[in-house]
Amino acid sequence: MSHNSFGHLFRFTTWGESHGPALGCVVDGCPAGLGLTEADIQPWLDKRRPGQSRHVTQRREPDQVRILSGVFEDDRTDGQVTTGAPISLMIENVDQRSKDYSDIRDTWRPGHADYTYDAKYGVRDYRGGGRSSARETAARVAAGAIARKVLGDSIQIRAALVQVGPRKINRDNWNWDAVHDNDFFCPDAETAELWASDMDAIRKAGSSVGGLIELVVSGVPAGWGAPVYGKLDADLASAMMSINAAKAVEIGAGMDAAALRGEDAADEMELGPDGQPQFRSNHNGGVLGGISTGQDLVIRLAIKPTSSIRIERQTLTKALAPTTVSTKGRHDPCVAIRGVPVAEAMAALVLADHKLRDAALKA
Amino acid sequence: MSHNSFGHLFRFTTWGESHGPALGCVVDGCPAGLGLTEADIQPWLDKRRPGQSRHVTQRREPDQVRILSGVFEDDRTDGQVTTGAPISLMIENVDQRSKDYSDIRDTWRPGHADYTYDAKYGVRDYRGGGRSSARETAARVAAGAIARKVLGDSIQIRAALVQVGPRKINRDNWNWDAVHDNDFFCPDAETAELWASDMDAIRKAGSSVGGLIELVVSGVPAGWGAPVYGKLDADLASAMMSINAAKAVEIGAGMDAAALRGEDAADEMELGPDGQPQFRSNHNGGVLGGISTGQDLVIRLAIKPTSSIRIERQTLTKALAPTTVSTKGRHDPCVAIRGVPVAEAMAALVLADHKLRDAALKA
Amino acid sequence: MSHNSFGHLFRFTTWGESHGPALGCVVDGCPAGLGLTEADIQPWLDKRRPGQSRHVTQRREPDQVRILSGVFEDDRTDGQVTTGAPISLMIENVDQRSKDYSDIRDTWRPGHADYTYDAKYGVRDYRGGGRSSARETAARVAAGAIARKVLGDSIQIRAALVQVGPRKINRDNWNWDAVHDNDFFCPDAETAELWASDMDAIRKAGSSVGGLIELVVSGVPAGWGAPVYGKLDADLASAMMSINAAKAVEIGAGMDAAALRGEDAADEMELGPDGQPQFRSNHNGGVLGGISTGQDLVIRLAIKPTSSIRIERQTLTKALAPTTVSTKGRHDPCVAIRGVPVAEAMAALVLADHKLRDAALKA
Amino acid sequence: MSHNSFGHLFRFTTWGESHGPALGCVVDGCPAGLGLTEADIQPWLDKRRPGQSRHVTQRREPDQVRILSGVFEDDRTDGQVTTGAPISLMIENVDQRSKDYSDIRDTWRPGHADYTYDAKYGVRDYRGGGRSSARETAARVAAGAIARKVLGDSIQIRAALVQVGPRKINRDNWNWDAVHDNDFFCPDAETAELWASDMDAIRKAGSSVGGLIELVVSGVPAGWGAPVYGKLDADLASAMMSINAAKAVEIGAGMDAAALRGEDAADEMELGPDGQPQFRSNHNGGVLGGISTGQDLVIRLAIKPTSSIRIERQTLTKALAPTTVSTKGRHDPCVAIRGVPVAEAMAALVLADHKLRDAALKA
């Protein structure tokens, strides 16, 4: 069962609410002997951290991570390493401002999980969305940093934002180096500028907008994953769809696969310059039969616009009285932006699990 | 771990290869006292059965299911009922023709799982795709019939094919009754006729084509599912992506969510005629925060064209010699067609599991 | 969840009732490339098979196993091997005689699971105990034969019966070779003869008797298992206690550990003749902190007498009327005898799982 | 997988080392709406807390628990309640004195997990036993307090120490009220006094001693648990054997079951004064076929003496040099004493899980 845990062998469990004292996770199943300090985790959290540009929420959270267990420094080891014991990570909440949320205590915000949490649990921590807040994703990013350690340097996980609202990037301009030179993790510098204007208008209108994230993972060897319900792409789909506001997941050709002919979809094989098998195309996104091909994994996920907007919307109170609601708190006008490091982390977490699962079969 | 199992409380494990003596599954966690005979399962298998039109594989399999355990008939009960013990289902393979496949023993068919199975396992039952064959989905459909029993009549699970190759249905013509009046599970009778011509041409060309399946589930109460890694939509995404040839999954607005504005995506609430909450739209596809809203669940999945085509494609042998391959066996020119009852079954299986999971929390 | 499944990476799921058409199991997670035919499994089933002496049930079951999936023979491999796909095993029930059981349809037999099954499920396959019959253990033994293949020849799993009723073996006479020379898997030939007389008297009296099984596993390397809830001994305890009629499990010194002093219980270490660490004693039964030490694993389990006896006992009917019941069917007067190969199988299944789990951590 | 998690629906994951900054757990799957504050947990921790008598370790730990997530106080609810979100509990380590342990950094203490951790992980937090320390059980006791909330007041879980070293209690003197009037959780006041003298001698000798814990759980309804690998007694056995230093688990008649005759072991049934079924004896310890009978659950577990003793023992260094070791730190001369509240907690945790699992089947 997995209400708040993810993974099988490399497994993490997250906890914490948006306005509780802290949030965190426990990472279980991490192999021993990997170098790990807070400095390995913090940079990834910093990528996701709020308040870094005018296009994201202005909540000020340092998101300083603390490792509470599972590592040990000994003069016989080369610095602090994992011990095989569960790794507990904690991040304190600093800038909560709970008063911002008191007016939505009894009102179900459209597009939010307010109504469904009440339907399921009968009680709801309404402060900042409580457990349904995207703040939970900080714990995923922290766990993902450990997953990257398990995967090692030969596997490269990179994501970019390729669409904001209706505006898509120009793929001819794709430049991975550009991703960190703008506020959007955008691989196309020109489009990034247009998005900046788009976003200014959206923010001014008190609205929000969706986006599309694309992930490319290089260096995964052929053979990870498993039929039939342990498929690598099924696990990736689950991981991506678990991210707040995700509404669609594509692998390789994705939705376009429906329109393809068989001779186009089947990626032909040939010998590469190194005498090893290679593919002439990658419509399958690096996965065949649920198992990695050795090609790049290509995954896209669509993120809906946040429902926290200043524009008034019709809704009901918990007492079933019609009312309107608008959100005045600090929010991301495009949650897809900060979703980029989260998607990377989830990919790392799925892959670390599958690396261990594959190794088990070689016992 | 879940190589060949799916679900947590309502859980099934499938086994069998395309050209082995039989295939089947074990359904575990089914509540006791539900009426269940082979006659409850067979009609769903018949929907998926091959050889029923010229547009699907001509392999002739009666797909007769046998219940081997987990049910009991007693004069104190009203017919045969489940006992709470694991339900073992078996379907014999009748029309295997293994000779069809001997020429692809040492050749990796592009777009198939041949290469990845060899990479992972070092050995492969090449007859008809072995374990990676879509024949495994018969076991899902059989298990899905039991899941429907768990869900009861108040929940209606229906799927239709809404796109074949580039041609989409006209949604204005949508008629659920039409779905069973054509060879495509198509809700638009006009488009079904065009698809018939399209498919004739594709088959004649020795090619194949992809398709898009749309699922609508009515009657799910608000409150099923769970944050954060037990999300109903994440489990549905995993279930759908586990279906052979699936490349994308959408919930509600799906990929289009990326282009939406917040005021459009957030489904407003109002009082319904029965004095209960209702929604003015369903961009979220019946799920908010991973929990059902009580609206229809709306799921779409894109299926790639089968890679078993008569058109020659470039590839490698297991000895890394370049060669070409074409498939002469009997195959579905559009596997998306027979994917429709499979997608329904997977939805039923996810929902039966979540029904039980939700009940546990009410303990 | 594990109603009818056991294990994590090497995992099996059993199904079938005592008087259904068949019983069997699905073994999932078996590494590929292991030689496996029915001939590898049948000898272990034959050890457990009923009707082989006057001291066990006279039900005549050939217990012929059939492999339905997960193996493949190819001229490129050296005989039939596992493919990594789930292995489905089936054993038909031949000698059911359901009429024997009709009189206990509405009566709860003391010491049996009749009352608890009714309490839980409201319905019960009363024929031969249905799912609660020890016949289910045939599937465990079959799965255990595959587990032994995973473990390889360097690990030796042996069990013996060391007590029948109040009479214990003389440990000075322990001879593993004797185990297969008597009807009791007894390592002490002298005691075996006394047991034969004891059993004749018990059978004549229409009674039954308990027994104590001792397992010794040699060749397990140091390092299998895991803290804190993945302990090797905790998993062994669960496995042994899952065997029908088991009431106690001991590891190493077992119950006697309570009476020990620290200086006696702590097994001292020294260098062995091969320059490797060895222990001077084995009070800990080959496990420290949940992880194997490399010493022999020593496990004992107490089996209660079967409750199927000819002697009349007081009980209730399902309608809560007081009555008496005695069992006239064919039963084991000492189920502990045939429990010996079952205990071996369960140990093999736990260890195969832990072998894979340990390998995963070396990824 | 369950390296550091336990349970299925009601599930907890522990983390932390003896000499790290803190330890804790995450409890997942707790139903919403249960009143829960630190004050509900602290009394159980206080029972287990070290330093409360001369017969336990003199380490001074306040073991103050803090709830970091999963609860919410709202003026609409009657005090702070669980929300269905994961409950994170943290206990800071205060009195570590790491210097005590530096001399055993390179030496494997006999009877401890030092050697096996090194064999498995290659690295080991040697301070106070690190992860293998019984200090981890504080997290179990904290989680167990929440499990008790799930179970409610109708279920009573009580444990007592019934043997210390070779000296057993006089069962005729059994008095549950006496359990909290002595330093041993002993239900027999007379024996408690003898144990006090015994322990003084043992402590003076620098030795330690084992013990036997007996658990009695009243109020469990008939029908909890499940065949075949979800047996209530198998899960209890696993839970008990996971406790540090446990070497044996008995249910009901336990080891004595081996010596019983069928007519004695089968607990006869009759009508109780309330017109409901009752049993004339309880040799089966409240479980038949893995399912609760409604009688008291009776469980015993044997705890070996701690291996941390002042008496010198022969062992090896990590460099395989023979040496002797004795432990000078603060330790429990009889860890079974503080094992009593831990065993109670584990029973509560198993039962809360099974309560939810049973409810799921009634969906």
Side-chain angles (χ1 to χ4, degrees):
Chain A
M1 292 290 299
S2 54
H3 297 304
N4 293 285
S5 298
F6 190 86
H8 297 268
L9 294 184
F10 186 87
R11 182 174 177 88
F12 70 105
T13 302
T14 73
W15 57 269
E17 287 85 29
S18 176
H19 286 59
L23 61 89
C25 63
V26 183
V27 176
D28 197 7
C30 185
L34 301 174
L36 183 71
T37 69
E38 276 94 349
D40 293 303
I41 302 173
Q42 197 61 49
W44 304 106
L45 281 169
D46 290 345
K47 276 185 72 176
R48 183 206 155 278
R49 191 151 49 86
Q52 301 190 97
S53 88
R54 70 184 186 276
H55 304 299
V56 298
T57 175
Q58 297 306 299
R59 179 168 169 171
R60 298 283 163 179
E61 287 289 351
D63 277 354
Q64 204 73 37
V65 69
R66 207 175 149 210
I67 303 178
L68 295 175
S69 67
V71 294
F72 190 56
E73 181 154 16
D74 191 7
D75 50 25
R76 294 166 305 180
T77 55
D78 187 18
Q80 184 170 281
V81 297
T82 58
T83 62
I87 304 168
S88 177
L89 304 176
M90 189 167 72
I91 297 165
E92 285 186 54
N93 287 325
V94 170
D95 183 19
Q96 291 117 318
R97 297 201 205 168
S98 287
K99 60 183 151 51
D100 282 349
Y101 297 96
S102 51
D103 56 333
I104 48 101
R105 199 190 80 162
D106 295 305
T107 301
W108 294 320
R109 291 168 299 163
H112 275 286
D114 301 345
Y115 172 66
T116 55
Y117 270 60
D118 270 345
K120 186 169 197 78
Y121 300 112
V123 60
R124 169 168 59 92
D125 181 345
Y126 51 78
R127 301 165 303 162
R131 182 69 182 150
S132 72
S133 166
R135 196 145 173 68
E136 184 268 348
T137 61
R140 304 181 187 218
V141 169
I146 301 177
R148 287 179 191 261
K149 284 280 180 170
V150 172
L151 293 172
D153 293 335
S154 59
I155 291 180
Q156 190 176 26
I157 300 169
R158 294 185 294 191
L161 199 60
V162 299
Q163 181 181 340
V164 169
R167 195 187 299 276
K168 301 179 182 189
I169 62 161
N170 178 349
R171 286 183 169 264
D172 295 338
N173 294 344
W174 192 297
N175 176 6
W176 279 113
D177 292 334
V179 161
H180 296 291
D181 292 340
N182 57 67
D183 296 334
F184 302 98
F185 302 110
C186 180
D188 168 11
E190 285 176 28
T191 300
E193 288 186 33
L194 300 174
W195 286 351
S197 326
D198 292 348
M199 289 298 299
D200 287 339
I202 285 159
R203 218 169 43 246
K204 202 167 166 184
S207 182
S208 65
V209 75
L212 188 65
I213 297 169
E214 183 162 324
L215 263 154
V216 179
V217 185
S218 306
V220 174
W224 288 10
V228 178
Y229 304 105
K231 280 182 171 157
L232 185 58
D233 36 358
D235 282 0
L236 285 165
S238 171
M240 296 303 151
M241 201 64 99
S242 79
I243 297 174
N244 309 47
K247 299 307 292 182
V249 181
E250 295 189 313
I251 306 288
M255 293 299 289
D256 291 345
L260 288 178
R261 295 279 287 252
E263 60 273 27
D264 298 320
D267 304 308
E268 291 184 302
M269 299 188 77
E270 63 189 8
L271 277 188
D274 58 352
Q276 290 304 303
Q278 70 177 26
F279 294 84
R280 290 180 170 173
S281 55
N282 191 9
H283 292 96
N284 286 290
V287 188
L288 284 170
I291 302 172
S292 60
T293 63
Q295 293 180 278
D296 284 355
L297 297 178
V298 181
I299 307 143
R300 276 175 301 278
L301 71 153
I303 301 289
K304 71 171 183 176
T306 182
S307 306
S308 299
I309 50 177
R310 289 209 319 276
I311 298 170
E312 284 214 334
R313 306 303 290 152
Q314 189 66 39
T315 193
L316 297 172
T317 68
K318 218 175 159 176
L320 301 190
T323 185
T324 58
V325 68
S326 71
T327 311
K328 280 139 213 133
R330 303 153 301 171
H331 293 283
D332 287 283
C334 176
V335 282
I337 300 172
R338 296 203 296 133
V340 169
V342 178
E344 287 182 356
M346 291 308 294
L349 290 156
V350 168
L351 289 166
D353 190 33
H354 274 281
K355 180 179 182 181
L356 270 55
R357 289 163 74 170
D358 189 61
L361 286 178
K362 306 300 188 289
Chain B
M1 289 291 298
S2 53
H3 297 303
N4 294 284
S5 298
F6 190 87
H8 298 266
L9 294 184
F10 186 88
R11 183 175 176 86
F12 70 106
T13 302
T14 73
W15 56 269
E17 286 86 29
S18 176
H19 286 58
L23 62 88
C25 63
V26 183
V27 176
D28 199 5
C30 184
L34 301 173
L36 183 72
T37 70
E38 276 94 349
D40 293 304
I41 303 173
Q42 198 59 50
W44 304 106
L45 281 169
D46 290 345
K47 275 185 71 175
R48 183 206 154 277
R49 191 152 49 86
Q52 301 190 97
S53 87
R54 69 184 188 277
H55 303 300
V56 298
T57 175
Q58 297 304 300
R59 180 169 170 171
R60 298 282 164 179
E61 287 290 352
D63 279 353
Q64 205 72 37
V65 70
R66 207 175 148 210
I67 303 177
L68 295 175
S69 67
V71 293
F72 190 56
E73 181 154 15
D74 191 6
D75 50 24
R76 294 167 305 183
T77 55
D78 187 20
Q80 183 170 281
V81 296
T82 57
T83 62
I87 303 168
S88 178
L89 304 176
M90 187 166 73
I91 297 165
E92 285 186 54
N93 287 325
V94 170
D95 182 20
Q96 291 117 321
R97 298 200 204 170
S98 288
K99 62 184 149 50
D100 282 350
Y101 297 97
S102 52
D103 56 333
I104 48 99
R105 199 190 81 162
D106 294 307
T107 302
W108 295 319
R109 292 168 299 164
H112 274 285
D114 301 346
Y115 172 65
T116 53
Y117 270 60
D118 271 345
K120 186 168 198 80
Y121 300 113
V123 60
R124 168 168 59 91
D125 181 345
Y126 50 79
R127 300 166 305 163
R131 182 68 182 152
S132 72
S133 165
R135 200 150 167 65
E136 184 269 346
T137 59
R140 305 182 188 217
V141 170
I146 301 177
R148 286 179 192 261
K149 283 279 179 171
V150 172
L151 293 172
D153 294 335
S154 60
I155 291 181
Q156 191 176 26
I157 300 170
R158 295 185 294 189
L161 199 59
V162 299
Q163 181 181 339
V164 169
R167 195 187 300 275
K168 301 179 182 187
I169 62 161
N170 178 349
R171 286 183 169 265
D172 294 338
N173 295 343
W174 192 297
N175 175 6
W176 278 113
D177 292 335
V179 161
H180 297 290
D181 292 340
N182 58 67
D183 295 335
F184 302 98
F185 302 110
C186 179
D188 167 10
E190 285 176 27
T191 299
E193 288 186 33
L194 300 174
W195 285 352
S197 326
D198 292 349
M199 289 297 299
D200 287 339
I202 285 160
R203 219 169 43 245
K204 202 166 167 186
S207 183
S208 65
V209 74
L212 188 66
I213 297 168
E214 183 162 324
L215 263 154
V216 179
V217 185
S218 306
V220 175
W224 288 10
V228 178
Y229 304 105
K231 280 180 172 160
L232 185 58
D233 38 357
D235 281 1
L236 286 165
S238 171
M240 296 302 151
M241 202 63 101
S242 79
I243 297 175
N244 309 49
K247 299 307 292 182
V249 182
E250 295 189 312
I251 306 288
M255 295 299 289
D256 291 345
L260 288 178
R261 295 278 287 252
E263 60 273 29
D264 298 320
D267 303 308
E268 291 183 302
M269 299 187 76
E270 63 190 8
L271 276 188
D274 59 351
Q276 290 304 303
Q278 71 179 25
F279 294 84
R280 289 181 171 172
S281 55
N282 191 9
H283 292 96
N284 287 290
V287 188
L288 284 171
I291 302 172
S292 60
T293 63
Q295 293 181 278
D296 283 356
L297 297 179
V298 181
I299 307 143
R300 275 174 302 278
L301 71 153
I303 302 288
K304 72 171 182 176
T306 181
S307 304
S308 298
I309 51 176
R310 288 207 322 276
I311 298 169
E312 284 213 334
R313 306 303 291 152
Q314 189 66 41
T315 192
L316 297 171
T317 69
K318 216 174 161 176
L320 300 190
T323 187
T324 57
V325 68
S326 71
T327 311
K328 280 141 213 128
R330 302 154 301 173
H331 292 284
D332 288 285
C334 177
V335 282
I337 300 171
R338 296 204 296 133
V340 169
V342 179
E344 286 182 354
M346 292 307 295
L349 289 156
V350 168
L351 289 167
D353 191 34
H354 273 282
K355 180 179 181 180
L356 269 56
R357 289 163 75 172
D358 189 61
L361 286 177
K362 307 299 189 289
Chain C
M1 291 291 299
S2 54
H3 296 304
N4 293 284
S5 298
F6 189 87
H8 298 267
L9 295 184
F10 186 88
R11 181 174 176 88
F12 71 105
T13 302
T14 73
W15 57 268
E17 285 86 29
S18 176
H19 286 59
L23 62 88
C25 64
V26 183
V27 176
D28 198 5
C30 184
L34 301 174
L36 183 72
T37 70
E38 275 94 350
D40 293 304
I41 303 172
Q42 197 61 49
W44 304 106
L45 281 169
D46 290 345
K47 276 185 70 175
R48 183 207 154 277
R49 190 151 50 85
Q52 301 190 98
S53 88
R54 69 184 188 277
H55 304 299
V56 299
T57 175
Q58 296 305 301
R59 180 168 169 171
R60 297 283 163 180
E61 288 289 353
D63 278 353
Q64 204 73 38
V65 70
R66 207 175 149 211
I67 304 178
L68 295 175
S69 68
V71 294
F72 190 56
E73 179 152 18
D74 191 7
D75 51 25
R76 295 166 305 182
T77 54
D78 187 19
Q80 183 170 282
V81 297
T82 58
T83 62
I87 303 167
S88 178
L89 303 176
M90 189 165 73
I91 297 164
E92 285 186 56
N93 286 327
V94 170
D95 182 19
Q96 291 117 320
R97 298 203 204 166
S98 288
K99 60 183 151 50
D100 283 349
Y101 297 97
S102 51
D103 56 332
I104 48 101
R105 200 189 81 163
D106 295 305
T107 302
W108 295 320
R109 292 168 299 164
H112 275 285
D114 301 345
Y115 171 66
T116 54
Y117 270 60
D118 271 345
K120 186 169 196 78
Y121 299 114
V123 58
R124 168 168 59 93
D125 181 345
Y126 51 79
R127 300 167 305 163
R131 182 68 181 153
S132 72
S133 165
R135 195 143 175 70
E136 185 268 349
T137 60
R140 305 181 186 218
V141 169
I146 302 178
R148 287 179 191 261
K149 283 279 179 171
V150 172
L151 294 172
D153 293 335
S154 60
I155 291 180
Q156 191 177 25
I157 300 169
R158 295 186 293 191
L161 200 59
V162 298
Q163 181 181 340
V164 169
R167 194 188 300 275
K168 303 181 182 186
I169 62 162
N170 177 350
R171 286 182 170 263
D172 294 338
N173 294 344
W174 192 297
N175 175 7
W176 277 113
D177 292 334
V179 161
H180 296 290
D181 292 340
N182 58 68
D183 295 334
F184 302 98
F185 302 110
C186 179
D188 167 10
E190 285 176 28
T191 300
E193 287 186 34
L194 300 174
W195 286 351
S197 326
D198 293 347
M199 289 298 298
D200 288 338
I202 285 160
R203 218 169 43 248
K204 202 166 165 185
S207 182
S208 65
V209 75
L212 187 65
I213 297 169
E214 182 162 325
L215 263 154
V216 179
V217 185
S218 306
V220 174
W224 289 10
V228 180
Y229 303 105
K231 280 181 172 159
L232 185 58
D233 38 357
D235 282 0
L236 285 166
S238 171
M240 296 304 151
M241 202 63 99
S242 79
I243 297 174
N244 309 48
K247 298 309 291 182
V249 182
E250 296 189 312
I251 307 287
M255 294 299 289
D256 291 345
L260 288 178
R261 294 279 288 250
E263 61 274 27
D264 299 319
D267 304 308
E268 290 184 303
M269 299 187 76
E270 63 189 7
L271 276 187
D274 59 352
Q276 290 303 303
Q278 70 178 24
F279 294 83
R280 289 181 171 172
S281 54
N282 191 10
H283 292 96
N284 286 290
V287 190
L288 284 171
I291 303 172
S292 60
T293 63
Q295 293 179 279
D296 283 355
L297 298 178
V298 180
I299 307 143
R300 275 175 302 278
L301 71 153
I303 302 289
K304 72 171 183 177
T306 181
S307 305
S308 299
I309 51 177
R310 288 208 321 277
I311 298 170
E312 285 214 334
R313 305 304 290 152
Q314 189 66 39
T315 191
L316 297 172
T317 68
K318 217 175 161 176
L320 301 190
T323 185
T324 58
V325 68
S326 71
T327 311
K328 280 139 211 132
R330 302 154 301 173
H331 293 283
D332 287 283
C334 175
V335 283
I337 300 172
R338 296 204 295 133
V340 169
V342 179
E344 286 183 356
M346 292 308 294
L349 290 156
V350 168
L351 288 166
D353 190 33
H354 274 282
K355 180 179 182 181
L356 270 55
R357 290 163 73 171
D358 189 61
L361 286 178
K362 306 301 189 288
Chain D
M1 291 291 297
S2 52
H3 296 304
N4 294 284
S5 298
F6 190 87
H8 297 268
L9 294 184
F10 186 88
R11 183 175 176 86
F12 71 105
T13 302
T14 72
W15 57 269
E17 286 85 29
S18 177
H19 286 58
L23 62 88
C25 64
V26 183
V27 176
D28 199 6
C30 184
L34 302 173
L36 183 72
T37 69
E38 276 95 348
D40 292 304
I41 302 173
Q42 198 60 50
W44 305 106
L45 281 168
D46 290 346
K47 276 184 71 175
R48 182 206 155 278
R49 192 152 49 86
Q52 301 190 98
S53 86
R54 70 184 186 278
H55 304 299
V56 298
T57 176
Q58 297 305 300
R59 181 168 170 171
R60 297 282 164 180
E61 288 289 353
D63 278 353
Q64 204 73 39
V65 69
R66 206 175 148 210
I67 303 177
L68 295 175
S69 67
V71 293
F72 190 55
E73 180 153 17
D74 191 7
D75 51 24
R76 294 166 305 181
T77 54
D78 186 19
Q80 184 170 280
V81 296
T82 58
T83 62
I87 304 167
S88 177
L89 304 176
M90 188 165 74
I91 297 165
E92 286 186 56
N93 287 325
V94 170
D95 182 20
Q96 292 116 320
R97 298 202 205 167
S98 287
K99 60 184 153 52
D100 284 349
Y101 297 97
S102 51
D103 55 333
I104 48 100
R105 198 189 82 162
D106 296 305
T107 301
W108 296 319
R109 293 168 298 164
H112 275 284
D114 300 346
Y115 172 66
T116 55
Y117 270 60
D118 270 345
K120 184 167 198 80
Y121 300 113
V123 60
R124 169 167 59 91
D125 181 346
Y126 51 79
R127 300 167 304 164
R131 182 67 182 153
S132 72
S133 165
R135 197 146 170 69
E136 185 268 348
T137 59
R140 304 182 187 216
V141 169
I146 302 178
R148 287 179 190 261
K149 284 280 180 170
V150 172
L151 293 172
D153 293 335
S154 60
I155 292 180
Q156 190 176 26
I157 300 169
R158 296 185 292 189
L161 199 59
V162 298
Q163 181 181 341
V164 168
R167 195 188 300 275
K168 301 179 182 187
I169 61 161
N170 178 350
R171 287 183 170 263
D172 294 337
N173 294 343
W174 192 297
N175 175 4
W176 279 113
D177 291 335
V179 160
H180 297 290
D181 292 341
N182 57 68
D183 294 335
F184 302 98
F185 302 110
C186 179
D188 167 11
E190 285 177 27
T191 300
E193 287 186 34
L194 300 175
W195 287 351
S197 326
D198 292 348
M199 289 297 299
D200 287 339
I202 285 160
R203 218 169 44 247
K204 201 166 167 185
S207 183
S208 65
V209 76
L212 188 65
I213 297 168
E214 182 162 325
L215 263 153
V216 179
V217 185
S218 307
V220 174
W224 288 11
V228 178
Y229 304 105
K231 280 181 172 157
L232 185 58
D233 37 358
D235 282 0
L236 286 165
S238 172
M240 296 304 151
M241 203 63 100
S242 79
I243 297 175
N244 309 47
K247 298 309 291 181
V249 181
E250 295 189 311
I251 306 287
M255 295 299 288
D256 291 343
L260 288 178
R261 294 279 287 253
E263 60 273 27
D264 298 319
D267 304 307
E268 291 184 301
M269 299 188 75
E270 62 188 9
L271 276 187
D274 59 352
Q276 290 304 303
Q278 71 178 26
F279 294 84
R280 290 181 170 172
S281 55
N282 191 9
H283 292 96
N284 286 289
V287 189
L288 284 171
I291 302 172
S292 60
T293 62
Q295 293 180 277
D296 282 356
L297 298 178
V298 180
I299 307 143
R300 275 174 302 278
L301 71 153
I303 301 289
K304 71 171 183 177
T306 182
S307 305
S308 299
I309 50 177
R310 287 207 322 277
I311 298 170
E312 284 213 336
R313 305 303 290 152
Q314 189 67 39
T315 191
L316 297 171
T317 70
K318 217 175 161 176
L320 301 189
T323 186
T324 57
V325 67
S326 71
T327 311
K328 281 141 212 129
R330 304 154 299 172
H331 293 285
D332 287 283
C334 177
V335 282
I337 300 172
R338 295 205 295 133
V340 170
V342 178
E344 286 183 354
M346 291 308 294
L349 289 156
V350 168
L351 288 167
D353 191 33
H354 274 281
K355 180 179 181 180
L356 271 55
R357 290 163 74 171
D358 188 62
L361 285 178
K362 306 299 189 290

